Amino acid sequence: MDPLPLSRRRFLQISAATFGAAASSPTLSATAPAAGPDKTVATYCEMCFWRCGGLGVVREGKLHAFVGNPLDPASNGRLCPRGTGAPGSHVEPDRVRTPLIRVGARGKEEFKSVTWDEALDHVAARLQKIKAEQGPESVAFFKHGIGAKFIEHALKSWGVVNSAAPSYAQCRGPRDVGFVLTYGTGLGSPEPLDIANTKTLVLIGSHLGENMHNTQVQEFAEFLGRGGKLIVADPRLSVAASKAAHWLPVKAGTDIALINAWMNVIVTEGLYDQAFVKEYGHGFEEFARFIRTQTPDWAAAETGIPAATIRATARAMAATRPATLIHPGRRSNWYGDDSQRARAVALLNALMGNWGRKGGFFLQHTVKLAPYPLPPYPKSAKGKADNPGGKYPFADEELSTGIREATLTGQPYPIKAWVVYSTNLVFTLPDPRKTLAAIDKLDFLVVIDTIGSEIAGYADVVLPEAMFLERYDDINSVWGRRGWVALRQPVVPAPSPEQKPGWWIGKQLANKLGVPQAIPFSDIEEYLAARVEKAGLSYAQLKRDGVIVGPVKPNYVEEGGKIEFDTPSGKVEFFSEQIKKAGFDPVPRYVRPAPAPAGMVRLITGRSPVHTFGRTQGNPILHDMQPTNEVWIATPLAAKLGVADGQKVRLRNQDGITSLPVAARLTERLRPDCVYMVYGFGHTSRMSRLSFEMGASASHLNSSYRTDPLTGSTSIHTNFVAILKEPAAPPPKPAAAQAVPAGASTPTVTEA
Ligand code: SF4
């Protein structure tokens, strides 16, 4: 393995001094070059879904740094630690370097290295066989990120209809559906939150600053700097909660009770925006009748928050409306009632009358691009398999867990192949046992990614993609205060010429599958320039600046902006007839969560500010900043169990699943009826030596999940764990010796 001489301290020093990290492909160099940059290339980040605009800095022909693009409204010239650490993903030592074909048993991670032609011929032959025997519907696509676009397009042109992003049912879906059912529109990404002008901000289970949504974190810092009032409801005193005027350590799973009680105070005391409700509200009387039953005294017993605190915080919210914002969160699929919980958040915001108002939800705009003329997709007689009979009536995207279920059961028809782009389904879907059982049922599994992972270890074919600083992708068209378009373009070549961009993989796949007309352009720039120039914009400007920002338009009602609601009533639906008609509660109703089994506590999870999901633990820079996770245990609970700070423990859940060892972090900042850890760690794939067996995996422990009956989204906070003490740890090894965990060995890759 290549040495990684860049220490964390050194990285932070040079990060602070404008440029993030010195890179000398394929290893990073800590020596700052004397010469200025050869060039800077404007592009946008894909270390997470926020897609901030950045500048790739090239020195002496090599990637030197990735910094914020001051012209870009998402980054405002500043990147988060993961974006700044993106050069680490360029030089990541265990990237997939060539196409691989499996030679051992599935999961053994034994592959032979092959050419692209061999790999794609093999893929095409296997997919065509499945199509001939079962139809193209039996091939499913899973995706994450904008790079999937052309591969998905090639597959859909060939007949694929089952195409799902786990980011829907496992992350953003219930939040958006809750808002669609209330306001007629989802919130999208980035959300139109006017934190810059908010006077009172309420975070309920959201951890700004730990979840590094760059623009929001910047506005949050400004909000705190000018003395905005922060109210945080969370079982854990998060970094954000430590800045709050009120921290409400709410019992996990009782958010709806708390929100309903807040609404009770605001309605019964007449503190809501009555003019807004009168003009734009639908079904307010039925809503209010129910909400009057949700008293703070009732909620106190459920949530653990004193009634007086509920009243005081509700009044504090109302005091600054409409510049009061209850943050809708993002990954809020926690307890299986999540679309109703999101609706409760949406309704509390509606009582503030903050839609289209300064300090609430601003009115968004975008810059339109022209579509590139591409042939339509063939029609499917079978339809999609993920949500048969519309079981989840308000699901408005495909359900990845639904496709997994169809794979397991063969109903409504068999799924025999998965093509998986840039998402490690073993980590992203709940209950990995089911995912592995579904993989067992497949005839063929293809993984396309920049890195190895658990799911890649089970693949029949692995196709190596270039990472975002090495490739073009489609243009990012963003809704925002002004709206903008952003270009992704290569800053440096990939370390291996066999690491190819997604558009190229899609084009080759289309050719091999016999649908070459699906991607008619020979070069991606032909496509990109056509979309931009046909819209009357300058492609040269976009290449130079990385972004084109739209004109100033009204963001608020006060500026002449218009608000409209695309709901059945055309109004904000306090009481929802469509939900009632589907057989569910028309106003969010609290259901008490299941109690912990004896000797167990609830496992709750969150994000690290220096990692994205489970995808960056092998990035040497980010690994250096946080190599592993810890489990937070409340001091009284630890005392009862005899667990010391730093002691290694394992977590065993209610289904008997046991984690890898993880260090205990004793804290006063957590309720004693739960433990907390950051997810994304605890990898068991040897395809990344840096992340192998580092920490414990929350995904692994998420074997018991509930499914939201409205949307089909799945929960992650419905598991309970016992804490098992490990024997005392041996003395620590020198830091250098820990760079690669003992026991990690390279997966077998033989040359063709
Ligand atoms: Fe990149 Fe951070 Fe922006 Fe995400 S928030 S796109 S990781 S800079």
Side-chain angles (χ1 to χ4, degrees), residues 45-52 66 78-84 212-214 612:
C45 182
E46 191 78 11
M47 293 298 282
C48 86
F49 44 77
W50 210 255
R51 300 191 184 131
C52 299
F66 187 50
R78 285 173 283 174
L79 301 182
C80 84
R82 298 163 303 162
T84 309
M212 268 288 166
H213 301 161
N214 190 358
T612 303

Side-chain angles (χ1 to χ4, degrees), residues 363-365 481 552-556 559-562:
L363 304 176
Q364 300 184 86
H365 307 284
R481 288 188 173 88
V552 174
K553 290 183 181 171
N555 291 130
Y556 311 111
E559 294 175 347
K562 296 263 175 296

